[in-house]
Amino acid sequence: GIQVEQSPPDLILQEGANSTLRCNFSDSVNNLQWFHQNPWGQLINLFYIPSGTKQNGRLSATTVATERYSLLYISSSQTTDSGVYFCAVELRSNYQLIWGAGTKLIIKP
Amino acid sequence: EPEVTQTPSHQVTQMGQEVILRCVPISNHLYFYWYRQILGQKVEFLVSFYNNEISEKSEIFDDQFSVERPDGSNFTLKIRSTKLEDSAMYFCASTSAARGSYEQYFGPGTRLTVT
């Protein structure tokens, strides 16, 4: 089956720093989503980005579908950005999302 | 903004008991899902549901699990006889597939603890 790999597994930064999180996938996908899991365990939708680039405030994401990777950029990090960031892909429309193992981000004040 | 809701937020049950986890998907959505996340691990797909029937299920979704849409708004996950290894966060999700968008929207989760 399709493999979804996220890197780095852990990232510790000072407040104000920028970061890039990567998601590689082993097959063509129909859908790709980025999520932030907060300390209470809730999954927050960040981006629905099967291809192209999107921006939302300090966050942006780029998916290069032909090369099977996606990047999540966080600029000017804040302590509230801490948590686990997951990438999830879908092979066909309206079917299961297959998840990466996540990147655990810790932002120190 | 419409959102997926789940109840209860936390459920504690004894091994062997039945539990029902409830979800209210976004009202105009047509596809519904359950996922689970064991503490510290990745999120895993359990089951998808469309047009009042299961469209896809994983190996995890064995005979102990069932799903139902009893009244056109709720979407439930039942575990008939809970085991210790069922302890996890359970997430409900839905999507509309409207205008070519298949984005899945997730509820806040139910934390199930089996003792």
Side-chain angles (χ1 to χ4, degrees):
Chain A
I2 189 170
Q3 303 297 314
V4 182
E5 296 180 353
Q6 292 187 242
S7 60
D10 299 279
L11 189 57
I12 301 174
L13 297 171
Q14 289 295 131
E15 200 168 23
N18 301 329
S19 59
T20 301
L21 282 57
R22 188 177 180 101
C23 173
N24 292 333
F25 42 95
S26 60
D27 203 346
S28 299
V29 298
N30 191 59
N31 174 19
L32 187 146
Q33 293 184 236
W34 282 98
F35 298 87
H36 175 214
Q37 187 165 41
N38 65 23
W40 297 271
Q42 297 175 334
L43 289 169
I44 311 300
N45 284 42
L46 296 178
F47 294 102
Y48 167 72
I49 187 163
S51 63
T53 297
K54 289 187 177 179
Q55 180 153 8
N56 184 4
R58 295 181 297 103
L59 274 61
S60 64
T62 294
T63 298
V64 183
T66 52
E67 296 187 24
R68 300 181 185 168
Y69 73 89
S70 183
L71 301 173
L72 177 68
Y73 305 96
I74 305 173
S75 64
S76 304
S77 300
Q78 301 174 357
T79 56
T80 51
D81 295 331
S82 296
V84 182
Y85 289 80
F86 288 103
C87 161
V89 303
E90 185 179 43
L91 293 180
R92 294 170 291 169
S93 305
N94 305 315
Y95 286 80
Q96 59 173 294
L97 283 173
I98 299 166
W99 297 69
T103 291
K104 184 175 181 180
L105 178 64
I106 297 173
I107 304 297
K108 293 188 170 182
Chain B
E1 184 174 326
E3 58 184 20
V4 178
T5 59
Q6 291 185 240
T7 54
S9 57
H10 191 190
Q11 171 114 30
V12 181
T13 190
Q14 289 190 325
M15 196 168 50
Q17 296 295 304
E18 174 183 285
V19 295
I20 298 176
L21 310 183
R22 291 182 168 79
C23 168
V24 178
I26 295 172
S27 63
N28 63 342
H29 284 191
L30 302 175
Y31 300 82
F32 314 112
Y33 311 83
W34 283 101
Y35 294 83
R36 79 170 187 189
Q37 184 185 32
I38 295 170
L39 185 64
Q41 297 186 18
K42 65 170 72 174
V43 180
E44 301 172 289
F45 168 78
L46 291 177
V47 65
S48 59
F49 192 85
Y50 170 70
N51 200 24
N52 281 322
E53 61 183 24
I54 291 173
S55 50
E56 193 177 19
K57 62 182 181 179
S58 72
E59 292 176 352
I60 302 168
F61 194 87
D62 61 22
D63 292 343
Q64 292 297 314
F65 292 89
S66 62
V67 289
E68 192 179 31
R69 189 158 162 80
D71 56 14
S73 62
N74 290 283
F75 179 49
T76 62
L77 174 69
K78 181 192 289 186
I79 309 175
R80 288 191 183 82
S81 178
T82 50
K83 306 171 200 170
L84 294 176
E85 54 265 37
D86 293 327
S87 294
M89 183 78 103
Y90 289 81
F91 293 101
C92 172
S94 68
T95 187
S96 67
R99 296 184 295 279
S101 172
Y102 305 101
E103 182 173 5
Q104 293 188 22
Y105 294 84
F106 282 72
T110 293
R111 187 174 300 280
L112 176 65
T113 303
V114 182
T115 61

